[in-house]
Amino acid sequence: MAHYYMEPSRTFSEFLLVPNLTTKACNPSNVTLKTPIVKFKKGEKPAYSLNIPFSSAVMQAVSDDRMAVALARSGGISFIFGSQSVEGQAAMVRKAKSYKAGFVVSRSNLTPSHTLNDVLELKERTGHSTVAITSDGTANGKLLGIVTGRDYRISRDSLSKQVSDFMTPFEKLIYGKSGITLSEANDLIWDHKLNCLPVVDAENNLDYLVFRKDYDEHKENPSELLDTNKSYVVGAGINTKDYEERVPALVAAGADVLVIDSSDGYSEWQQSTIQFVKSNFDVKIGAGNVVDREGFLYLVEAGADFIKVGIGGGSICITREQKGIGRGQASSLIEVAAARDEYFEQTGIYVPICSDGGIVHDYHITLALAMGADFVMMGRYFARFDESPTRKLKVGNNFVKEFWGEGSNRARNWERYDTGGKAGLMFEEGVDSYVPYAGSLQENLSKTIHKIKSTMCNCGSLTIAELQKNARITLVSATSIVEGGAHDVILKENSVTNE
C-alpha cells in the first residue's frame, strides 16, 4: 500500500517568526552570516564557508562568469551553468578564477564602422556609457579607441555618424600594459584624471578596463569570498551523463565546488557521479535535489559534501504541474534539517543543506535559515540584476530581463531530467519568462542582507546557528496572511512626490 503524508505540504508563506528577546547586543552590525557550504567533522572547520548564505542557481539565465565574480565579491558563491559545452563552461570557470579585483572584462564593444546610433542602442541595452572600440568588436580585440559620453552630442551629431569619426583614438589614450597592478592602475587614473583606464597586451589587444568608480567599491567589499590564492571561490554545475568528461575539465579550470544539477537527486545516477568524483579528484561536490529524510541520507552516504533541498518550488519550474512530483519547500526543509541534525549527532559529521526554490519574499530567506538551511540557492532573485547574462529589454513602460528554466525548450537541458531514456526533452518542466529589472546586484543584496540581520535581531540571534537553535516559528491562517499586508486603506500612488 502506498505511503501517505497526511500533514499538508507547506510553503514558507504559511509561517511567521515569533520574536525572542532582543538584547542590547542584538544590533545588525553585530550579526554574522558566515555559514558552512561543505561537510566537516565536529570540532573542525569546513574547507569552504560562505560569508553570506547565498548561492546563485545553476541556470543559463543566471550564473555565468560575471555573476560568479559579482557574487563572490559580496561573499556568496555562484554555480556556473552546465547546460553548455564542456569547453564553454571550463572557460567561464577559468575566467572567473583568473579575475583580478578591479580589472573588468569589457562588456560593451563596437568597431570603428559602427554608428552613433549603435552606441546609443548599446548604452540603452547595457547601461554602459564607456564603449571599447576594437578591430573586431570583441572584448579582447585590438584596441583602436574609446567612446564615452564626452565624445558626442546627440543634439548636433547625426545618428549615422561613424564611430571612427568621433571616438578618442588609441594614440591619444592613456593606457596600462598587461601585468600592471591595481594600485599602479589607480595611480594612473588619479594622476591623469581619468574615468577609465584600458589595459592592453604587447600587441595592443584589450585585456581589461579599470574604472575610477570601482576604486571605492573594492574598499567596501570586506566580505569577498577568496581561496588561499586570493582568487574568488567559484562553483560549477554538472550532470549525471557526461561527468567523466566535464569534471576533469572543470577541476583543471580551477572550480572549487561542484554540484549535481537535477530536479530529482534521489537516484543511482547521482550516487555513481559522486563516487566517480570522490575517487578521482580532490574537489567538493554537492548533490540533490531531495525533499525528505531518505533522499538526504542516500546522497550523504554516497559521499556528497552538501545537499540541495526542493523539488518544484522554483518560480519558473512546472515539475509539480507536469508530473505531480514535489513537496512544499517548508515541509521539505523541516524534514531534511531534522535528518541532518540526527546524522550529526550519530556520526559527528555535519552536512550543510541548501534550500533551493520557494523563495518569493526576502523574509522567506530568513525563514529558510531558521528552519535549518545553511544557505539558499536562488534563480529569479539574481536574474533581475545587471550581472545576470540575459538581455535587458523594455516591455511597455518597464525594463525587464529574460529568465527561463533549465527544463524549458529554450534551455534544452535534458540531462538535468534524464532517467535513462531517450536523449531529449519530451515535455517541458520549466517556462520562458521575464522578471522585472532591478539594477545592480550589490545594491539589492545589501538591502536583503540588512533585512535578514534585522530580523535575526528580532529573534535574539547573532549567528545563523543561534537562529536555527532559538527561532520560534508559527503557522499562519489564510486570514492572518491578509492581515499581514496593507489593508483597509487607500494606498497613495508611488509617483506622488513632495514637489
Side-chain angles (χ1 to χ4, degrees):
M1 180 179 176
H3 177 79
Y4 289 90
Y5 294 80
M6 298 310 295
E7 170 69 21
S9 181
R10 301 197 180 277
T11 67
F12 292 135
S13 290
E14 295 178 79
F15 294 91
L16 287 175
L17 289 158
V18 176
N20 279 327
L21 174 66
T22 302
T23 65
K24 292 181 179 179
C26 286
N27 184 289
S29 61
N30 293 330
V31 174
T32 175
L33 296 178
K34 194 176 182 71
T35 188
I37 188 175
V38 295
K39 67 184 178 184
F40 60 95
K41 293 181 179 179
K42 188 175 183 179
E44 297 181 355
K45 290 185 177 181
Y48 294 100
S49 291
L50 302 176
N51 292 324
I52 58 172
F54 289 80
S55 63
S56 65
V58 193
M59 300 176 69
Q60 295 174 9
V62 179
S63 298
D64 64 353
D65 54 281
R66 189 175 181 219
M67 179 63 74
V69 169
L71 191 48
R73 181 183 293 165
S74 294
I77 189 171
S78 186
F79 290 94
I80 293 175
F81 72 93
S83 51
Q84 59 176 314
S85 69
V86 172
E87 295 77 15
Q89 187 184 21
M92 284 188 180
V93 170
R94 195 174 296 111
K95 187 179 292 186
K97 290 298 295 183
S98 63
Y99 183 89
K100 294 180 288 184
F103 293 83
V104 179
V105 175
S106 179
R107 300 274 290 192
S108 294
N109 311 285
L110 294 173
T111 67
S113 60
H114 279 93
T115 65
L116 175 57
N117 190 58
D118 294 321
V119 172
L120 297 177
E121 286 184 353
L122 186 61
K123 182 179 179 181
E124 175 75 10
R125 187 167 70 250
T126 65
H128 301 156
S129 59
T130 299
V131 180
I133 309 303
T134 59
S135 57
D136 56 3
T138 67
N140 300 113
K142 185 174 182 179
L143 183 64
L144 301 178
I146 291 286
V147 169
T148 70
R150 294 178 296 180
D151 292 313
Y152 57 85
R153 284 197 284 182
I154 300 175
S155 60
R156 295 192 179 185
D157 291 326
S158 168
L159 293 180
S160 61
K161 188 174 184 179
Q162 285 199 328
V163 167
S164 57
D165 293 333
F166 61 87
M167 70 181 186
T168 301
F170 179 78
E171 54 268 21
K172 292 186 177 181
L173 293 174
I174 303 296
Y175 57 88
K177 284 292 188 178
S178 296
I180 190 173
T181 67
L182 183 58
S183 178
E184 292 169 340
N186 280 318
D187 285 343
L188 281 175
I189 287 174
W190 289 99
D191 290 344
H192 295 277
K193 298 180 172 61
L194 305 175
N195 287 323
C196 173
L197 177 78
V199 177
V200 299
D201 64 15
E203 284 74 42
N204 292 341
N205 295 311
L206 180 61
D207 277 343
Y208 304 104
L209 299 175
V210 181
F211 291 93
R212 173 189 290 262
K213 65 181 177 62
D214 289 339
Y215 178 80
D216 291 332
E217 179 182 327
H218 297 298
K219 297 292 184 181
E220 294 170 0
N221 289 304
S223 296
E224 287 182 318
L225 191 63
L226 305 172
D227 62 17
T228 54
N229 296 318
K230 303 302 181 183
S231 296
Y232 288 127
V233 174
V234 177
I238 64 172
N239 62 67
T240 59
K241 300 305 158 197
D242 66 3
Y243 58 86
E244 292 185 359
E245 176 188 2
R246 189 172 295 272
V247 172
L250 294 176
V251 172
D256 300 289
V257 186
L258 305 177
V259 66
I260 304 173
D261 181 37
S262 175
S263 64
D264 177 13
Y266 190 11
S267 74
E268 292 183 345
W269 299 104
Q270 291 218 2
Q271 180 190 56
S272 298
T273 304
I274 295 168
Q275 291 174 347
F276 169 81
V277 172
K278 289 296 182 180
S279 298
N280 294 282
F281 302 96
D282 182 22
V283 65
K284 304 301 181 183
I285 180 170
N289 288 17
V290 301
V291 295
D292 58 14
R293 180 179 186 274
E294 289 78 12
F296 170 83
L297 292 175
Y298 182 82
L299 294 178
V300 168
E301 289 165 2
D305 291 296
F306 70 89
I307 304 296
K308 284 206 298 154
V309 179
I311 294 178
S315 60
I316 42 71
C317 183
I318 53 173
T319 294
R320 298 180 194 174
E321 179 182 303
Q322 291 281 53
K323 297 168 67 175
I325 290 287
R327 194 179 190 187
Q329 188 66 14
S331 294
S332 303
L333 189 54
I334 291 168
E335 179 171 334
V336 173
R340 185 268 316 278
D341 293 344
E342 180 184 342
Y343 184 82
F344 180 56
E345 287 294 323
Q346 293 176 350
T347 66
I349 299 173
Y350 186 90
V351 183
I353 57 178
C354 168
S355 180
D356 177 19
I359 291 172
V360 179
H361 306 292
D362 286 350
Y363 83 87
H364 288 169
I365 301 171
T366 318
L367 268 172
L369 298 174
M371 289 177 174
D374 295 282
F375 61 103
V376 299
M377 176 174 282
M378 298 182 290
R380 181 194 62 85
Y381 180 91
F382 290 108
R384 304 171 300 150
F385 303 147
D386 290 319
E387 292 80 1
S388 73
T390 61
R391 293 185 299 168
K392 174 186 171 186
L393 305 171
K394 192 172 186 179
V395 177
N397 293 320
N398 300 306
F399 284 103
V400 298
K401 295 206 73 176
E402 296 176 300
F403 182 44
W404 61 92
E406 289 298 296
S408 67
N409 277 325
R410 181 170 183 174
R412 306 299 302 170
N413 187 5
W414 67 269
E415 294 94 341
R416 188 177 195 270
Y417 300 89
D418 181 54
T419 53
K422 183 179 178 181
L425 286 176
M426 300 299 292
F427 58 90
E428 290 185 285
E429 292 188 46
V431 299
D432 195 347
S433 63
Y434 299 117
V435 289
Y437 169 68
S440 72
L441 178 146
Q442 189 174 44
E443 179 182 354
N444 286 273
L445 195 57
S446 295
K447 185 182 297 183
T448 299
I449 288 172
H450 189 77
K451 287 182 185 178
I452 294 171
K453 289 184 174 182
S454 180
T455 305
M456 288 174 62
C457 287
N458 292 139
C459 295
S461 302
L462 294 176
T463 66
I464 292 174
E466 287 181 10
L467 180 67
Q468 292 171 347
K469 179 181 178 182
N470 301 324
R472 298 191 294 167
I473 304 171
T474 181
L475 270 170
V476 295
S477 67
T479 305
S480 64
I481 292 176
V482 174
E483 181 185 63
H487 60 90
D488 301 314
V489 295
I490 301 173
L491 295 177
K492 296 180 180 180
E493 292 291 336
N494 290 333
S495 59
V496 174
T497 69
N498 291 325
E499 297 177 355

